[in-house]
Amino acid sequence: MGQYSPLVIEHFEHPRNAGVMEDPDGEATVANPVCGDRMRVMIRVRDGRVAEVRWQTRGCPPAIATSSFASELVQGWTLDEVEALTRERIAEGIGGLPPDKIHCSVLAADALRAAVRDYRSRLGRGT
Ligand code: FES
């Protein structure tokens, strides 16, 4: 684990917001196109902002750590802010990732953006 920042190790060893949410307002499961690792994310939305995040990730230590970090990062964000979330923001926020692990931060960013899209599509369907 010596290649990882202290924050990556800390989130990997003590993941925040891991688990399942009952009746989420939006959810998505995405696979990392590079390695096939997967993340499911569920969000609760209140007053146009992210009120709660839960996630389940099957992946490498940076995938777990960035899932945890991102779930805390977006608390209270507007949906537009989440849709503008980039993997660079996550990778930099967590103290950097080794070059061959940069792709691991894609998972959390993609999954959160997809969960917001799911929420918006549910609104469009009136559910
Ligand atoms: Fe797959 Fe890191 S190796 S997300």
Side-chain angles (χ1 to χ4, degrees), residues 4 31-38 57-64 66 97 100-108:
Y4 298 125
N32 191 314
V34 176
C35 62
D37 289 345
R38 303 178 77 82
T57 296
R58 191 205 70 207
C60 63
I64 303 291
T66 52
L97 289 169
D100 65 336
K101 291 290 181 183
I102 288 287
H103 73 272
C104 306
S105 56
V106 168
L107 209 50

Short mmCIF file of all heavy atoms in Angstrom, two decimals, residues 4 31-38 57-64 66 97 100-108, ligand 1:
data_model
loop_
_atom_site.label_atom_id
_atom_site.label_comp_id
_atom_site.label_asym_id
_atom_site.label_seq_id
_atom_site.Cartn_x
_atom_site.Cartn_y
_atom_site.Cartn_z
N TYR A 4 0.19 4.44 -2.15
CA TYR A 4 -1.03 5.23 -1.99
C TYR A 4 -0.88 6.33 -0.96
O TYR A 4 -0.14 6.19 0.02
CB TYR A 4 -2.20 4.31 -1.60
CG TYR A 4 -2.52 3.27 -2.63
CD1 TYR A 4 -2.54 1.92 -2.30
CD2 TYR A 4 -2.78 3.63 -3.94
CE1 TYR A 4 -2.83 0.95 -3.25
CE2 TYR A 4 -3.07 2.68 -4.90
CZ TYR A 4 -3.09 1.34 -4.55
OH TYR A 4 -3.36 0.40 -5.50
N ALA A 31 -19.64 0.09 -14.70
CA ALA A 31 -18.42 -0.72 -14.74
C ALA A 31 -17.29 0.14 -15.29
O ALA A 31 -17.50 0.96 -16.19
CB ALA A 31 -18.63 -1.94 -15.63
N ASN A 32 -16.14 -0.03 -14.71
CA ASN A 32 -14.98 0.70 -15.21
C ASN A 32 -14.57 0.12 -16.56
O ASN A 32 -14.31 -1.08 -16.66
CB ASN A 32 -13.83 0.56 -14.20
CG ASN A 32 -12.68 1.49 -14.51
OD1 ASN A 32 -12.27 1.60 -15.65
ND2 ASN A 32 -12.20 2.16 -13.50
N PRO A 33 -14.54 0.96 -17.59
CA PRO A 33 -14.22 0.43 -18.92
C PRO A 33 -12.81 -0.14 -19.02
O PRO A 33 -12.53 -0.96 -19.89
CB PRO A 33 -14.40 1.64 -19.84
CG PRO A 33 -14.33 2.83 -18.96
CD PRO A 33 -14.81 2.39 -17.60
N VAL A 34 -11.93 0.27 -18.12
CA VAL A 34 -10.54 -0.19 -18.20
C VAL A 34 -10.38 -1.60 -17.62
O VAL A 34 -9.72 -2.44 -18.21
CB VAL A 34 -9.60 0.80 -17.48
CG1 VAL A 34 -8.16 0.28 -17.47
CG2 VAL A 34 -9.68 2.17 -18.14
N CYS A 35 -11.02 -1.85 -16.47
CA CYS A 35 -10.73 -3.10 -15.75
C CYS A 35 -11.97 -3.94 -15.47
O CYS A 35 -11.84 -5.09 -15.06
CB CYS A 35 -10.05 -2.80 -14.43
SG CYS A 35 -11.12 -1.80 -13.37
N GLY A 36 -13.18 -3.37 -15.65
CA GLY A 36 -14.38 -4.14 -15.39
C GLY A 36 -14.87 -4.09 -13.95
O GLY A 36 -15.91 -4.67 -13.63
N ASP A 37 -14.14 -3.43 -13.06
CA ASP A 37 -14.62 -3.27 -11.69
C ASP A 37 -15.93 -2.49 -11.70
O ASP A 37 -16.17 -1.69 -12.61
CB ASP A 37 -13.58 -2.56 -10.82
CG ASP A 37 -12.38 -3.44 -10.54
OD1 ASP A 37 -12.48 -4.66 -10.77
OD2 ASP A 37 -11.35 -2.92 -10.10
N ARG A 38 -16.75 -2.70 -10.66
CA ARG A 38 -18.10 -2.14 -10.69
C ARG A 38 -18.41 -1.37 -9.42
O ARG A 38 -17.94 -1.70 -8.34
CB ARG A 38 -19.15 -3.26 -10.81
CG ARG A 38 -18.97 -4.14 -12.01
CD ARG A 38 -20.00 -5.24 -12.02
NE ARG A 38 -21.30 -4.76 -12.46
CZ ARG A 38 -21.64 -4.60 -13.72
NH1 ARG A 38 -20.78 -4.87 -14.68
NH2 ARG A 38 -22.84 -4.17 -14.05
N THR A 57 -19.09 -1.23 -3.96
CA THR A 57 -18.07 -1.28 -5.01
C THR A 57 -17.32 -2.60 -4.94
O THR A 57 -16.90 -3.03 -3.87
CB THR A 57 -17.07 -0.12 -4.86
OG1 THR A 57 -17.77 1.12 -5.05
CG2 THR A 57 -15.94 -0.22 -5.88
N ARG A 58 -17.19 -3.23 -6.09
CA ARG A 58 -16.35 -4.41 -6.21
C ARG A 58 -15.15 -3.99 -7.04
O ARG A 58 -15.26 -3.79 -8.25
CB ARG A 58 -17.12 -5.54 -6.91
CG ARG A 58 -16.39 -6.89 -6.83
CD ARG A 58 -16.79 -7.80 -7.95
NE ARG A 58 -16.25 -7.30 -9.22
CZ ARG A 58 -16.78 -7.53 -10.40
NH1 ARG A 58 -17.89 -8.21 -10.52
NH2 ARG A 58 -16.22 -7.05 -11.51
N GLY A 59 -14.04 -3.78 -6.36
CA GLY A 59 -12.89 -3.29 -7.09
C GLY A 59 -11.65 -3.25 -6.24
O GLY A 59 -11.60 -3.79 -5.13
N CYS A 60 -10.67 -2.56 -6.77
CA CYS A 60 -9.36 -2.48 -6.15
C CYS A 60 -9.38 -1.48 -4.98
O CYS A 60 -10.34 -0.75 -4.81
CB CYS A 60 -8.36 -2.01 -7.20
SG CYS A 60 -8.77 -0.35 -7.76
N PRO A 61 -8.31 -1.43 -4.18
CA PRO A 61 -8.28 -0.47 -3.06
C PRO A 61 -8.56 0.98 -3.47
O PRO A 61 -9.36 1.64 -2.80
CB PRO A 61 -6.87 -0.66 -2.48
CG PRO A 61 -6.57 -2.10 -2.76
CD PRO A 61 -7.16 -2.37 -4.12
N PRO A 62 -7.97 1.51 -4.55
CA PRO A 62 -8.31 2.89 -4.92
C PRO A 62 -9.78 3.05 -5.32
O PRO A 62 -10.37 4.12 -5.11
CB PRO A 62 -7.40 3.20 -6.11
CG PRO A 62 -6.34 2.20 -6.07
CD PRO A 62 -6.86 1.00 -5.37
N ALA A 63 -10.38 2.00 -5.89
CA ALA A 63 -11.80 2.10 -6.25
C ALA A 63 -12.66 2.20 -4.99
O ALA A 63 -13.60 3.00 -4.93
CB ALA A 63 -12.22 0.89 -7.08
N ILE A 64 -12.33 1.40 -3.99
CA ILE A 64 -13.05 1.46 -2.71
C ILE A 64 -12.83 2.83 -2.07
O ILE A 64 -13.77 3.49 -1.62
CB ILE A 64 -12.55 0.36 -1.75
CG1 ILE A 64 -12.69 -1.03 -2.38
CG2 ILE A 64 -13.25 0.47 -0.40
CD1 ILE A 64 -14.08 -1.52 -2.57
N THR A 66 -11.87 5.74 -3.38
CA THR A 66 -12.47 6.88 -4.09
C THR A 66 -14.00 6.83 -4.00
O THR A 66 -14.65 7.88 -3.99
CB THR A 66 -12.02 6.95 -5.56
OG1 THR A 66 -12.23 5.69 -6.19
CG2 THR A 66 -10.56 7.35 -5.66
N LEU A 97 -3.24 9.67 -7.09
CA LEU A 97 -3.21 8.22 -7.31
C LEU A 97 -2.01 7.89 -8.18
O LEU A 97 -1.58 8.71 -8.98
CB LEU A 97 -4.49 7.74 -8.01
CG LEU A 97 -5.79 7.77 -7.19
CD1 LEU A 97 -6.99 7.54 -8.10
CD2 LEU A 97 -5.75 6.76 -6.06
N ASP A 100 -0.82 4.41 -12.85
CA ASP A 100 -1.55 3.25 -13.37
C ASP A 100 -2.86 3.02 -12.64
O ASP A 100 -3.58 2.06 -12.94
CB ASP A 100 -0.68 2.00 -13.33
CG ASP A 100 -0.32 1.58 -11.92
OD1 ASP A 100 -0.33 2.46 -11.02
OD2 ASP A 100 -0.03 0.39 -11.70
N LYS A 101 -3.18 3.88 -11.67
CA LYS A 101 -4.44 3.75 -10.93
C LYS A 101 -5.35 4.96 -11.09
O LYS A 101 -6.40 5.04 -10.45
CB LYS A 101 -4.15 3.52 -9.44
CG LYS A 101 -3.52 2.17 -9.13
CD LYS A 101 -4.52 1.06 -9.35
CE LYS A 101 -3.94 -0.31 -9.04
NZ LYS A 101 -4.90 -1.40 -9.34
N ILE A 102 -4.96 5.90 -11.94
CA ILE A 102 -5.79 7.08 -12.15
C ILE A 102 -7.18 6.68 -12.65
O ILE A 102 -8.20 7.25 -12.26
CB ILE A 102 -5.13 8.03 -13.18
CG1 ILE A 102 -3.91 8.71 -12.55
CG2 ILE A 102 -6.12 9.07 -13.68
CD1 ILE A 102 -4.21 9.78 -11.53
N HIS A 103 -7.21 5.64 -13.49
CA HIS A 103 -8.51 5.24 -14.04
C HIS A 103 -9.48 4.78 -12.97
O HIS A 103 -10.69 4.76 -13.19
CB HIS A 103 -8.32 4.12 -15.08
CG HIS A 103 -7.98 2.79 -14.48
ND1 HIS A 103 -6.69 2.40 -14.23
CD2 HIS A 103 -8.77 1.78 -14.06
CE1 HIS A 103 -6.69 1.19 -13.70
NE2 HIS A 103 -7.94 0.79 -13.58
N CYS A 104 -8.98 4.40 -11.79
CA CYS A 104 -9.86 3.89 -10.73
C CYS A 104 -10.81 4.97 -10.22
O CYS A 104 -11.88 4.66 -9.70
CB CYS A 104 -9.04 3.33 -9.58
SG CYS A 104 -7.84 2.08 -10.10
N SER A 105 -10.42 6.24 -10.36
CA SER A 105 -11.28 7.33 -9.87
C SER A 105 -12.43 7.61 -10.83
O SER A 105 -13.34 8.37 -10.50
CB SER A 105 -10.46 8.60 -9.65
OG SER A 105 -9.77 8.96 -10.84
N VAL A 106 -12.39 6.98 -12.02
CA VAL A 106 -13.47 7.16 -12.99
C VAL A 106 -14.78 6.60 -12.45
O VAL A 106 -15.86 7.14 -12.67
CB VAL A 106 -13.12 6.46 -14.33
CG1 VAL A 106 -14.33 6.38 -15.23
CG2 VAL A 106 -11.99 7.18 -15.01
N LEU A 107 -14.64 5.49 -11.73
CA LEU A 107 -15.83 4.75 -11.29
C LEU A 107 -16.76 5.62 -10.46
O LEU A 107 -17.96 5.71 -10.74
CB LEU A 107 -15.35 3.54 -10.48
CG LEU A 107 -16.20 2.28 -10.46
CD1 LEU A 107 -16.61 1.82 -11.84
CD2 LEU A 107 -15.43 1.18 -9.73
N ALA A 108 -16.24 6.26 -9.43
CA ALA A 108 -17.09 7.05 -8.52
C ALA A 108 -17.70 8.24 -9.25
O ALA A 108 -18.89 8.55 -9.07
CB ALA A 108 -16.28 7.52 -7.32
FE1 FES B 1 -10.40 -1.47 -11.44
FE2 FES B 1 -9.03 0.09 -9.91
S1 FES B 1 -8.26 -1.63 -11.02
S2 FES B 1 -11.09 0.31 -10.48
#
